[in-house]
Amino acid sequence: MLIATLLPLLTRYSLSFDLIAAPDGTVTLTIIPRKAEGAARSLDKSESRPISITASAAEIDAELGRGADGALGQLVASRKALADQLADQHQATEAARTAASEAAKAKAAAVKPKVPAPSVAVKAPALPSLPTDAKPGEPATLF
């Protein structure tokens, strides 16, 4: 029943199990999701968080016997729904990123370089005329 309960997770993850027996008769079953071989993207922290159950062996067997209606089955269903939402958001983000990139390329291609306007010749200001008593070859005086 354990494998049937975990089958929805096995489609997306590789799972590791850890079983520890305590001296008081309880057993801790820890299920650790890992990135499946060949998976394109890495796992989110919420997806890779271990699932741990501590109870007596009989209680764990009874809980696993409930299948999808048991606590583990409901937790697995919740994890699968979360993983599906994360995958959808990742896909939407990539689609938006691609669309924005394409729009930027189209906008850049549509913008034509501006041709500079012909410059207008600037007239130099007229120099004041030399004093009437100025002699060629001698500097003009201001006094």
Side-chain angles (χ1 to χ4, degrees):
M1 194 50 118
L2 176 63
I3 303 303
T5 303
L6 295 175
L7 196 56
L9 288 181
L10 284 171
T11 60
R12 190 176 304 248
Y13 310 107
S14 174
L15 300 176
S16 296
F17 298 94
D18 189 20
L19 283 170
I20 301 171
D24 63 353
T26 60
V27 176
T28 299
L29 168 64
T30 304
I31 303 162
I32 306 161
R34 294 180 296 157
K35 179 180 173 182
E37 287 187 34
R41 65 179 189 86
S42 60
L43 298 181
D44 187 80
K45 287 181 182 179
S46 61
E47 292 179 281
S48 61
R49 195 167 188 168
I51 300 168
S52 186
I53 301 170
T54 302
S56 70
E59 290 171 331
I60 291 176
D61 286 343
E63 188 60 37
L64 293 176
R66 294 180 61 199
D69 295 331
L72 182 61
Q74 291 175 2
L75 182 59
V76 167
S78 297
R79 287 271 182 110
K80 184 175 181 322
L82 174 65
D84 290 343
Q85 288 175 358
L86 287 171
D88 290 345
Q89 288 176 350
H90 181 72
Q91 184 179 12
T93 300
E94 288 301 316
R97 186 175 293 145
T98 302
S101 174
E102 294 298 323
K105 287 178 185 176
K107 184 176 179 181
V111 173
K112 295 179 182 174
K114 292 184 179 180
V115 177
S119 60
V120 177
V122 179
K123 288 185 178 180
L127 294 174
S129 59
L130 294 174
T132 55
D133 59 347
K135 297 180 185 165
E138 292 183 9
T141 170
L142 296 176
F143 302 103

